[in-house]
Amino acid sequence: MMLNDLITILKYEYTVHPGEYFNVDTYWVKSMSEVKTVIIDQDHVFTKMVSFYPKNFVIYLEQFPDQSIYRTNYPLKKIDNSDSHEVVFDEVAKNVFEYLD
């Protein structure tokens, strides 16, 4: 799979501005060695990277001085009483099954 193909499946986008906190709870990851991260481009003001997690979860990050843009292949939901988000794996499965009806 080419990088451009991969990025097109990342249809959920989250913008974070400096001072805001963005965390994804990856409770299903036993060790960070399971996560593979590729830095695509980076300099002192700009970063592009993609991280591959178990369960086929992918986060693509574009980081600029004034904001960060995260794109994922599964939707995220804010955890109640927390600054973290959880991955909603079931939503994508539901959406796929809607097309099968």
Side-chain angles (χ1 to χ4, degrees):
M1 181 179 285
M2 299 292 294
L3 179 62
N4 286 341
D5 295 334
L6 172 68
I7 292 172
T8 61
I9 66 168
L10 304 177
K11 62 181 181 176
Y12 304 97
E13 186 174 296
Y14 307 89
T15 301
V16 180
H17 297 282
E20 294 179 334
Y21 182 72
F22 184 84
N23 180 58
V24 177
D25 184 357
T26 54
Y27 61 87
W28 71 93
V29 177
K30 293 178 179 68
S31 166
M32 285 311 289
S33 65
E34 296 178 275
V35 178
K36 304 302 178 208
T37 298
V38 177
I39 297 174
I40 301 163
D41 191 11
Q42 185 174 39
D43 62 24
H44 66 287
V45 296
F46 179 78
T47 299
K48 272 188 190 180
M49 61 190 236
V50 63
S51 296
F52 302 91
Y53 291 77
K55 295 182 72 170
N56 295 318
F57 177 64
V58 178
I59 294 179
Y60 171 75
L61 167 65
E62 285 185 275
Q63 191 172 33
F64 306 93
D66 61 337
Q67 68 181 4
S68 297
I69 300 170
Y70 294 86
R71 292 184 180 93
T72 64
N73 59 327
Y74 287 93
L76 303 178
K77 177 181 155 193
K78 190 153 184 176
I79 299 172
D80 291 338
N81 301 316
S82 172
D83 289 332
S84 295
H85 296 78
E86 63 185 343
V87 180
V88 184
F89 289 108
D90 296 347
E91 283 298 312
V92 172
K94 252 194 312 197
N95 289 342
V96 168
F97 291 119
E98 285 174 10
Y99 294 110
L100 297 177
D101 289 341

